[in-house]
């Protein structure tokens, strides 16, 4: 077992950014609406551009989930949410 003096704090990764910093990049104009990116575990990740077959699949899946959930849950399509301090994903569909 390690003593308290032997335990070192985790190293900070300067490449990892928080949701707050990520949103600030949009506010300052460093990133814009045309930038297809999301923040996953502190890393800015490029998102695949939309295409007709993907859009159709998302639409079909969304309607199926809405019918299945009825009024018991909200189905959101391509909306971001704060998953943690380090992640702001934008899933195709979320319940």
């Amino acid at each position: 077992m390690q003593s308290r003096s032997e335990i070192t704090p985790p190293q900070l990764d300067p490449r990892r950014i928080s949701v707050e910093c990520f949103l600030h990049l949009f506010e300052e104009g460093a990133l814009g609406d045309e930038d297809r990116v999301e923040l996953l575990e502190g890393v800015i990740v490029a998102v695949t551009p939309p295409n007709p077959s993907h859009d159709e699949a998302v639409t079909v899946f969304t309607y199926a989930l809405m019918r299945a959930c009825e009024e018991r849950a909200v189905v959101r399509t391509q909306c971001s949410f704060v998953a943690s301090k380090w992640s702001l994903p934008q899933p195709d569909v979320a319940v």
Side-chain angles (χ1 to χ4, degrees):
M1 186 149 139
Q2 293 180 323
S3 70
R4 283 181 102 55
S5 62
E6 294 173 337
I7 299 173
T8 57
Q11 296 297 313
L12 296 177
D13 185 345
R15 296 167 295 179
R16 190 173 184 205
I17 65 168
S18 68
V19 169
E20 182 181 352
C21 290
F22 180 66
L23 293 174
H24 187 71
L25 291 173
F26 283 94
E27 292 168 7
E28 294 298 315
L31 291 172
D33 293 337
E34 70 283 352
D35 294 307
R36 301 211 22 95
V37 295
E38 60 187 9
L39 185 67
L40 302 176
E41 294 300 318
V43 177
I44 298 175
V45 178
V47 178
T48 306
N51 66 63
S53 62
H54 178 262
D55 293 344
E56 183 178 350
V58 169
T59 300
V60 169
F61 190 59
T62 299
Y63 282 113
L65 279 173
M66 290 172 76
R67 285 191 303 274
C69 291
E70 294 176 344
E71 293 187 18
R72 296 175 301 215
V74 174
V75 177
R76 293 173 28 133
T77 303
Q78 298 175 333
C79 298
S80 60
F81 71 97
V82 178
S84 73
K85 177 181 178 178
W86 305 106
S87 293
L88 186 69
Q90 186 176 350
D92 290 329
V93 182
V95 178

